[in-house]
Amino acid sequence: MKKFRFLLVSLLVFGLIFVLTGCGGGEEAGKAQGEGETEKLVIKAGADAAYAPMEYKNPESGEVEGFDADLIRAIGEAVGLEVDIKHVDWDGLFPALESGDINCIISSMTITDERKKIVDFSDPYFEATQIIAVRKGSDIKGLEDLVGKKVGVQQNTTGHYAVEELEGMKDEDIKKFPTTPDALINLTNGLVDAVVADAPVVLNYIKHNPDAGLVTVTDDFEKEYYGIAVKKGNKELLDKINEGLAKVKKNGTYDELYKKYFE
Ligand code: ARG
């Protein structure tokens, strides 16, 4: 129900942007003025860069870095397209795509049927699952134990949806944060008793914050697959992205990146 309401609100927001900017043609999306008459296709990616090691801001340069950033740059290189990547808050990603501010999302976004109604996804590029983070010594040993506890999530993520779907879970016990690190900080602080979020990001956080006093609990969460999202119907860009993705998987670049960030 919640999910549905979110979708509905998103659709309304998109509709509004659409009408206000009068951008039926979407000409500006992904096109930069090239030499003379020809318009050059550019990959303009958005990522919620509070998600190490997938996407984060380099504290000095402010540039978006991480697995996703490297991957989209490699994809661009493989198909001869320039890549621009910038931070956009998680809840702002779909509106930014709709307005043409960006023309694709690479933000560890899980391919879901609901999202497929509003965007088109590339071939899957990463497999992940949810994981539960708790404070050391917690009596939470699995999903069922979350009922009756305060659970932190990044709002409108698949972790949020997984907690919502738990039988007996009360909405008031789900604490929604704008970013995953916000949820994890509040777990250390004691505001919530557990956090449910993407495993690679939670594990990375714990590794780099040994003093946070957190450990993980696994359960049989479904496998999730990340995809790169484009505006519905943007086949030109989607084809290029899929072509580039296939190339970097084949030529070893993908494996190198995987090693760089996860081994
Ligand atoms: N994979 C989850 C989802 O699609 C969470 C992704 C959050 N990404 C981020 N950069 N904050 O809902």
Side-chain angles (χ1 to χ4, degrees):
M1 202 50 217
K2 270 283 162 43
K3 226 182 285 177
F4 184 69
R5 211 183 311 144
F6 171 65
L7 264 176
L8 212 68
V9 172
S10 306
L11 282 173
L12 282 173
V13 171
F14 298 166
L16 201 65
I17 289 168
F18 199 74
V19 170
L20 288 179
T21 58
C23 60
E27 278 317 300
E28 75 286 10
K31 309 249 177 157
Q33 210 56 50
E35 311 270 280
E37 291 303 298
T38 44
E39 281 188 350
K40 193 160 97 268
L41 182 66
V42 172
I43 297 180
K44 295 201 288 174
D48 168 26
Y51 219 59
M54 304 305 290
E55 42 262 340
Y56 51 89
K57 271 190 206 156
N58 177 309
E60 267 121 60
S61 66
E63 288 272 314
V64 179
E65 295 179 353
F67 180 85
D68 282 350
D70 281 359
L71 180 63
I72 194 71
R73 287 188 182 112
I75 288 174
E77 204 182 307
V79 292
L81 291 182
E82 196 183 302
V83 176
D84 226 35
I85 173 161
K86 67 165 176 180
H87 164 82
V88 177
D89 290 342
W90 178 248
D91 280 343
L93 284 166
F94 284 159
L97 187 64
E98 192 54 36
S99 72
D101 187 26
I102 56 174
N103 61 10
C104 71
I105 299 170
I106 183 157
S107 193
S108 310
M109 185 175 273
T110 303
I111 302 171
T112 68
D113 288 342
E114 284 79 6
R115 289 174 181 161
K116 274 201 243 167
K117 290 178 194 154
I118 45 179
V119 293
D120 287 338
F121 280 104
S122 69
D123 296 329
Y125 70 87
F126 197 88
E127 184 189 302
T129 62
Q130 297 300 308
I131 202 166
I132 306 168
V134 294
R135 285 182 298 277
K136 280 180 189 147
S138 164
D139 56 357
I140 296 170
K141 300 283 177 258
L143 257 178
E144 307 283 278
D145 300 332
L146 296 180
V147 178
K149 304 272 195 208
K150 304 235 174 306
V151 184
V153 295
Q154 179 176 10
Q155 63 195 2
N156 301 315
T157 59
T158 43
H160 180 183
Y161 304 148
V163 174
E164 245 176 9
E165 272 153 28
L166 261 181
E167 226 182 290
M169 190 77 211
K170 290 206 200 85
D171 190 55
E172 72 224 44
D173 285 337
I174 307 176
K175 303 289 168 216
K176 297 133 193 141
F177 296 95
T179 74
T180 294
D182 280 342
L184 291 165
I185 289 165
N186 282 292
L187 175 58
T188 296
N189 293 346
L191 193 79
V192 295
D193 305 306
V195 166
V196 177
D198 288 3
V201 172
V202 172
L203 294 171
N204 181 80
Y205 181 90
I206 292 177
K207 187 167 147 196
H208 292 283
N209 296 276
D211 298 333
L214 305 182
V215 290
T216 55
V217 175
T218 49
D219 207 324
D220 45 342
F221 289 102
E222 274 170 35
K223 285 196 175 117
E224 297 183 16
Y225 296 92
Y226 297 166
I228 301 164
V230 302
K231 196 169 172 173
K232 254 208 166 313
N234 191 353
K235 191 171 169 342
E236 185 191 12
L237 181 59
L238 194 61
D239 286 350
K240 285 280 177 200
I241 288 174
N242 279 331
E243 183 191 327
L245 181 60
K247 280 191 178 154
V248 301
K249 278 191 177 164
K250 207 164 164 200
N251 70 16
T253 308
Y254 183 96
D255 292 337
E256 271 169 39
L257 292 182
Y258 196 91
K259 273 201 201 108
K260 172 174 168 192
Y261 289 98
F262 301 104
E263 278 168 23

Short mmCIF file of all heavy atoms in Angstrom, two decimals, residues 48-51 55 90 107-110 115 130 154 156-159 180 198 224 226, ligand 1:
data_model
loop_
_atom_site.label_atom_id
_atom_site.label_comp_id
_atom_site.label_asym_id
_atom_site.label_seq_id
_atom_site.Cartn_x
_atom_site.Cartn_y
_atom_site.Cartn_z
N ASP A 48 23.04 8.69 -5.78
CA ASP A 48 22.98 9.16 -4.40
C ASP A 48 24.30 8.78 -3.75
O ASP A 48 24.47 7.66 -3.29
CB ASP A 48 21.79 8.51 -3.68
CG ASP A 48 21.83 8.73 -2.18
OD1 ASP A 48 22.41 9.75 -1.74
OD2 ASP A 48 21.28 7.89 -1.43
N ALA A 49 25.23 9.73 -3.78
CA ALA A 49 26.61 9.43 -3.43
C ALA A 49 26.87 9.43 -1.92
O ALA A 49 27.82 10.05 -1.42
CB ALA A 49 27.55 10.40 -4.14
N ALA A 50 26.02 8.73 -1.19
CA ALA A 50 26.25 8.51 0.24
C ALA A 50 26.13 7.01 0.44
O ALA A 50 25.36 6.53 1.26
CB ALA A 50 25.20 9.25 1.06
N TYR A 51 26.88 6.28 -0.37
CA TYR A 51 26.64 4.85 -0.48
C TYR A 51 27.94 4.11 -0.79
O TYR A 51 28.01 3.32 -1.74
CB TYR A 51 25.59 4.61 -1.58
CG TYR A 51 24.61 3.52 -1.27
CD1 TYR A 51 23.80 3.59 -0.15
CD2 TYR A 51 24.48 2.42 -2.10
CE1 TYR A 51 22.88 2.60 0.13
CE2 TYR A 51 23.56 1.41 -1.83
CZ TYR A 51 22.77 1.52 -0.71
OH TYR A 51 21.85 0.53 -0.43
N GLU A 55 28.92 4.35 -4.39
CA GLU A 55 29.01 5.73 -4.87
C GLU A 55 29.18 6.64 -3.67
O GLU A 55 28.45 6.53 -2.70
CB GLU A 55 27.75 6.17 -5.66
CG GLU A 55 26.42 5.71 -5.07
CD GLU A 55 25.90 4.48 -5.76
OE1 GLU A 55 26.35 4.22 -6.88
OE2 GLU A 55 25.07 3.76 -5.19
N TRP A 90 18.66 10.44 -3.12
CA TRP A 90 17.94 9.23 -3.53
C TRP A 90 16.51 9.55 -4.02
O TRP A 90 16.12 9.13 -5.10
CB TRP A 90 17.91 8.24 -2.35
CG TRP A 90 17.16 6.97 -2.62
CD1 TRP A 90 15.99 6.59 -2.04
CD2 TRP A 90 17.53 5.92 -3.53
NE1 TRP A 90 15.62 5.36 -2.53
CE2 TRP A 90 16.54 4.92 -3.44
CE3 TRP A 90 18.60 5.72 -4.41
CZ2 TRP A 90 16.58 3.74 -4.19
CZ3 TRP A 90 18.64 4.54 -5.16
CH2 TRP A 90 17.64 3.58 -5.05
N SER A 107 22.84 3.95 -9.24
CA SER A 107 22.86 4.25 -7.82
C SER A 107 22.52 3.01 -6.99
O SER A 107 21.74 3.08 -6.06
CB SER A 107 21.86 5.39 -7.55
OG SER A 107 22.05 5.92 -6.26
N SER A 108 23.09 1.87 -7.41
CA SER A 108 22.80 0.60 -6.73
C SER A 108 21.30 0.36 -6.69
O SER A 108 20.77 -0.16 -5.71
CB SER A 108 23.34 0.60 -5.30
OG SER A 108 24.67 0.99 -5.28
N MET A 109 20.63 0.78 -7.75
CA MET A 109 19.17 0.68 -7.76
C MET A 109 18.71 -0.71 -8.17
O MET A 109 19.03 -1.18 -9.27
CB MET A 109 18.58 1.75 -8.68
CG MET A 109 17.06 1.77 -8.63
SD MET A 109 16.38 3.11 -9.61
CE MET A 109 16.42 4.45 -8.42
N THR A 110 17.98 -1.34 -7.27
CA THR A 110 17.47 -2.68 -7.54
C THR A 110 16.36 -2.63 -8.59
O THR A 110 15.49 -1.77 -8.55
CB THR A 110 16.91 -3.28 -6.23
OG1 THR A 110 17.95 -3.26 -5.25
CG2 THR A 110 16.39 -4.70 -6.44
N ARG A 115 9.27 -0.33 -10.08
CA ARG A 115 10.11 0.69 -10.73
C ARG A 115 10.09 0.54 -12.24
O ARG A 115 10.22 1.54 -12.96
CB ARG A 115 11.54 0.60 -10.18
CG ARG A 115 11.64 1.08 -8.74
CD ARG A 115 13.02 0.86 -8.17
NE ARG A 115 13.09 1.31 -6.77
CZ ARG A 115 14.01 0.93 -5.92
NH1 ARG A 115 14.95 0.08 -6.31
NH2 ARG A 115 14.00 1.37 -4.67
N GLN A 130 19.71 -7.93 1.02
CA GLN A 130 19.61 -7.12 2.22
C GLN A 130 20.40 -7.81 3.33
O GLN A 130 20.66 -9.02 3.27
CB GLN A 130 18.15 -6.97 2.65
CG GLN A 130 17.29 -6.25 1.64
CD GLN A 130 17.78 -4.85 1.36
OE1 GLN A 130 18.00 -4.07 2.30
NE2 GLN A 130 17.98 -4.52 0.09
N GLN A 154 16.79 3.28 4.89
CA GLN A 154 16.83 4.44 3.99
C GLN A 154 15.49 4.45 3.28
O GLN A 154 15.10 3.44 2.67
CB GLN A 154 17.97 4.34 2.97
CG GLN A 154 17.96 5.56 2.04
CD GLN A 154 19.11 5.60 1.05
OE1 GLN A 154 19.85 4.65 0.88
NE2 GLN A 154 19.25 6.74 0.39
N ASN A 156 12.29 4.54 1.03
CA ASN A 156 12.00 4.15 -0.37
C ASN A 156 13.08 3.30 -1.03
O ASN A 156 13.28 3.38 -2.23
CB ASN A 156 11.69 5.40 -1.22
CG ASN A 156 10.51 6.16 -0.66
OD1 ASN A 156 9.50 5.54 -0.31
ND2 ASN A 156 10.62 7.47 -0.54
N THR A 157 13.74 2.51 -0.19
CA THR A 157 14.68 1.52 -0.74
C THR A 157 14.06 0.14 -0.54
O THR A 157 13.07 -0.03 0.19
CB THR A 157 16.03 1.56 -0.01
OG1 THR A 157 15.80 1.28 1.37
CG2 THR A 157 16.73 2.89 -0.18
N THR A 158 14.70 -0.85 -1.14
CA THR A 158 14.19 -2.21 -1.00
C THR A 158 14.32 -2.71 0.45
O THR A 158 13.54 -3.56 0.86
CB THR A 158 14.93 -3.15 -1.98
OG1 THR A 158 16.32 -2.85 -1.95
CG2 THR A 158 14.42 -2.95 -3.40
N GLY A 159 15.27 -2.14 1.19
CA GLY A 159 15.38 -2.49 2.62
C GLY A 159 14.13 -2.01 3.35
O GLY A 159 13.55 -2.73 4.18
N THR A 180 21.47 5.84 3.93
CA THR A 180 21.78 4.64 4.70
C THR A 180 22.77 4.94 5.84
O THR A 180 22.56 4.48 6.96
CB THR A 180 22.27 3.53 3.75
OG1 THR A 180 21.17 3.16 2.90
CG2 THR A 180 22.74 2.31 4.51
N ASP A 198 21.26 -2.66 2.00
CA ASP A 198 22.06 -3.46 1.08
C ASP A 198 23.35 -3.94 1.74
O ASP A 198 24.12 -3.13 2.30
CB ASP A 198 22.43 -2.64 -0.17
CG ASP A 198 21.24 -2.40 -1.09
OD1 ASP A 198 20.11 -2.82 -0.75
OD2 ASP A 198 21.43 -1.80 -2.16
N GLU A 224 18.79 -9.58 -5.08
CA GLU A 224 18.37 -8.39 -5.81
C GLU A 224 19.42 -8.10 -6.88
O GLU A 224 20.59 -8.42 -6.71
CB GLU A 224 18.28 -7.19 -4.85
CG GLU A 224 17.24 -7.39 -3.77
CD GLU A 224 17.08 -6.18 -2.86
OE1 GLU A 224 17.54 -5.07 -3.20
OE2 GLU A 224 16.47 -6.36 -1.79
N TYR A 226 20.98 -5.03 -9.33
CA TYR A 226 21.03 -3.60 -9.63
C TYR A 226 20.98 -3.40 -11.15
O TYR A 226 21.58 -4.17 -11.91
CB TYR A 226 22.33 -2.98 -9.12
CG TYR A 226 22.55 -3.02 -7.63
CD1 TYR A 226 23.81 -2.75 -7.11
CD2 TYR A 226 21.52 -3.31 -6.73
CE1 TYR A 226 24.05 -2.77 -5.74
CE2 TYR A 226 21.75 -3.32 -5.36
CZ TYR A 226 23.02 -3.06 -4.87
OH TYR A 226 23.27 -3.07 -3.52
N1 ARG B 1 19.27 -1.32 -3.68
C1 ARG B 1 18.38 -0.54 -2.88
C2 ARG B 1 17.21 -0.10 -3.71
O1 ARG B 1 17.26 -0.12 -4.89
C3 ARG B 1 19.04 0.65 -2.24
C4 ARG B 1 19.82 1.53 -3.14
C5 ARG B 1 20.19 2.84 -2.49
N2 ARG B 1 21.20 3.52 -3.26
C6 ARG B 1 21.83 4.62 -2.87
N3 ARG B 1 22.81 5.09 -3.60
N4 ARG B 1 21.44 5.20 -1.79
O2 ARG B 1 16.19 0.30 -3.20
#
